[in-house]
Amino acid sequence: MSADPLDPFEAFEEAQAQGVRDPYPEWAEMRRRAPVHEVDLREEFGLDPDTEIPDLPRSYVVLSYDGVTQVLRDADTFSSSFYSDTMGAVMGHSILEMDEPEHHLYRGLIQQAFTRKALERWQDELVRPMVEAIVDEIADRGRGDLVRELTFPFPVRVIAGMLGLPAADLPQFHRWAVELISVGFDFDVGMAASQKLREYFAEQLAPRRDEPRDDLISVLAQADLEGHRLDDEAIFAFLRLLLPAGAETTYRSSSNLLFGLLTNPDQLAAVLADRSLLPQAIDEGLRWEPPLPSIARWSTADTEVDGVPMAARSVVNVNMGAANRDEKRWDRPEEFDISRPPLQHVSFALGPHTCLGMHLARMETTVAMETILDRLPKMRLDPAADDVHIRGRAFRSPRSLPVLCD
Ligand code: HEM
């Protein structure tokens, strides 16, 4: 992430953040007034409310825990086909945008690549050596930036390793991945990246159809569920989804957890002293600052959400970030507090589209945290660092985490 304004990482970061530092007070104020609000899509996208848009759909934002869980569990009334009308253009027809029963079949096929055994192997052969090498470098130097050096690069390298891609292709692969999700503000760049990724994945897939190797693309190429197979386009769509779904989220969630601990040194000290606190620290980080605060659905029928009427064919913005801070469910919800009693949050969603990579994400974050706690026990925010904070609207995380660790 350089200061070069043409750098796609920097351009994406600026565009997605929309200059937003902390949307939570506004969400809390709205949630206190009502669990669901009708909103103007033009304003949501930062357009003038008088802009003429033909057939502009009605739109709602759901902010309460009860409302969000109701929407996510009821996939008949709240369709994921919203994504086919938006991201489908760059992703292809991925499981993210499928409804039942199609979704169930494809998810079943893809899940074959995410076994417990595969997870253990990725942990030992891929994640741990990679994280250790990065953290050792920071330890030797006595200082470093945990975002730029660790949390930003490592999840995409893990995915490239899982797919069995040559290490030399990694910088280009990461660049295409970021360009792909830039589609919301630069359609041409997103479409070009989508095409290049398709060509690249086609080159990778063809030899594995004939001769499977020991990697995820080969498992997808061979996957079979009651005689159904994944065709090439289904595999390309999944592989394209994997980049934003798996890399962007894990990078930001592990950064947010580190930010929570670094800005609450007593809690960092508690985890250092008692590693059994790590799983609950990871979950509190996810509850407090989900990397992806909201997702979307189409409503398919006139309905009611948490007691509020909602019209059919409306865009439903499912605000998991606001739901995770619903004061009806959590005391002092704005505070990062790893000693909270365990209570399910919705950062991985719920229902049929519950995050497929949840266990992988937890494993990656656990390994990163264990390594940091082992090798950087004196880690603290660099006092010379200027105003380190979490920001963003579509995705949230700090841009850097400069630490001293000598
Ligand atoms: C902390 C990290 C992560 C968070 C917070 C997260 C969050 C989410 C959420 C909220 C959804 C639901 C999207 C929707 O229905 O609109 C989702 C779906 C998904 N996630 Fe994750 N994710 C994370 C990591 C990962 C990783 C590492 C992978 C890699 C395999 C992954 C793969 C997926 C896939 C494939 C889906 C689509 C599932 C479906 O539609 O059935 N995610 N994730």
Side-chain angles (χ1 to χ4, degrees):
M1 285 198 280
S2 76
D4 175 358
L6 298 177
D7 183 316
F9 301 121
E10 200 69 17
F12 176 73
E13 205 43 48
E14 286 310 314
Q16 76 79 18
Q18 294 169 22
V20 173
R21 176 151 176 165
D22 186 5
Y24 280 96
E26 183 194 335
W27 291 341
E29 189 272 324
M30 286 175 78
R31 193 188 50 235
R32 276 180 213 120
R33 279 192 284 127
V36 179
H37 292 253
E38 183 160 0
V39 289
D40 187 324
L41 263 188
R42 287 169 293 205
E43 285 179 41
E44 292 290 289
F45 285 103
L47 299 172
D48 186 320
D50 295 326
T51 315
E52 285 289 331
I53 301 182
D55 302 324
L56 184 72
R58 293 178 78 166
S59 175
Y60 298 84
V61 55
V62 182
L63 299 137
S64 66
Y65 183 83
D66 289 347
V68 163
T69 51
Q70 179 193 334
V71 170
L72 293 177
R73 286 198 169 108
D74 181 358
D76 290 336
T77 316
F78 301 99
S79 163
S80 289
S81 64
F82 176 81
Y83 296 120
S84 54
D85 303 328
T86 50
M87 285 189 302
V90 286
M91 297 281 182
H93 190 46
S94 75
I95 53 170
L96 187 72
E97 64 175 50
M98 292 178 189
D99 286 327
E100 306 310 327
E102 185 189 28
H103 172 259
H104 185 74
L105 169 67
Y106 279 87
R107 187 164 161 133
L109 279 161
I110 287 165
Q111 236 160 1
Q112 295 179 11
F114 290 83
T115 57
R116 186 184 292 265
K117 211 168 131 223
L119 208 67
E120 278 169 14
R121 222 189 100 204
W122 294 331
Q123 169 172 303
D124 298 341
E125 293 177 16
L126 212 55
V127 181
R128 204 174 288 282
M130 189 184 295
V131 168
E132 285 179 353
I134 296 174
V135 174
D136 277 348
E137 243 181 66
I138 298 175
D140 287 346
R141 213 184 308 127
R143 62 192 311 142
D145 182 342
L146 294 178
V147 172
R148 283 160 201 239
E149 292 181 66
L150 177 66
T151 58
F152 178 69
F154 101 86
V156 79
R157 285 191 209 164
V158 169
I159 288 183
M162 284 161 45
L163 299 184
L165 306 179
D169 295 352
L170 209 115
Q172 181 60 68
F173 179 67
H174 199 171
R175 189 166 275 253
W176 282 332
V178 172
E179 288 175 355
L180 182 78
I181 48 175
S182 306
V183 65
F185 58 91
D186 196 333
F187 188 76
D188 294 341
V189 165
M191 286 305 284
S194 169
Q195 190 52 32
K196 284 180 207 140
L197 278 166
R198 191 192 173 288
E199 285 160 20
Y200 178 67
F201 288 141
E203 279 168 27
Q204 299 292 327
L205 176 61
R208 288 164 169 92
R209 284 268 191 219
D210 302 331
E211 267 183 64
R213 301 180 198 164
D214 204 3
D215 57 38
L216 193 143
I217 299 183
S218 302
V219 179
L220 296 176
Q222 308 302 320
D224 189 312
L225 196 67
E226 291 156 18
H228 294 280
R229 308 283 304 260
L230 291 165
D231 65 19
D232 287 6
E233 289 307 323
I235 293 180
F236 300 149
F238 178 68
L239 295 177
R240 278 187 293 230
L241 169 64
L242 205 48
L243 296 162
E248 198 66 27
T249 48
T250 309
Y251 135 52
R252 293 180 191 275
S253 65
S254 46
S255 307
N256 292 348
L257 170 62
L258 282 162
F259 177 84
L261 291 170
L262 285 163
T263 51
N264 291 276
D266 51 328
Q267 299 190 48
L268 176 57
V271 185
L272 264 166
D274 178 1
R275 295 296 172 84
S276 72
L277 297 176
L278 195 49
Q280 69 199 62
I282 291 174
D283 266 295
E284 174 62 357
L286 283 163
R287 178 202 70 83
W288 178 63
E289 277 286 1
L292 172 74
S294 45
I295 56 179
R297 300 288 188 260
W298 277 123
S299 59
T300 59
D302 287 341
T303 185
E304 230 180 54
V305 175
D306 203 359
V308 179
M310 184 180 282
R313 290 305 291 164
S314 301
V315 177
V316 185
N317 176 324
V318 185
N319 192 325
M320 304 172 298
N324 280 349
R325 295 193 186 193
D326 189 335
E327 50 270 274
K328 281 197 195 151
R329 187 169 168 87
W330 285 277
D331 291 333
R332 301 169 288 103
E334 310 303 328
E335 288 173 29
F336 172 80
D337 178 1
I338 64 167
S339 66
R340 288 177 188 283
L343 209 52
Q344 181 163 20
H345 57 73
V346 282
S347 299
F348 288 119
L350 274 180
H353 289 272
T354 300
C355 178
L356 182 89
M358 184 165 77
H359 302 299
L360 173 61
R362 282 190 207 279
M363 178 272 277
E364 288 184 66
T365 312
T366 304
V367 171
M369 286 308 303
E370 283 171 352
T371 311
I372 288 172
L373 295 171
D374 280 345
R375 298 177 188 212
L376 309 177
K378 293 188 183 157
M379 169 184 77
R380 63 212 177 272
L381 269 184
D382 184 344
D386 188 26
D387 190 24
V388 179
H389 62 272
I390 294 177
R391 59 170 213 161
R393 197 175 186 96
F395 290 102
R396 284 183 62 72
S397 59
R399 295 183 70 191
S400 68
L401 283 174
V403 292
L404 304 180
C405 41
D406 49 358

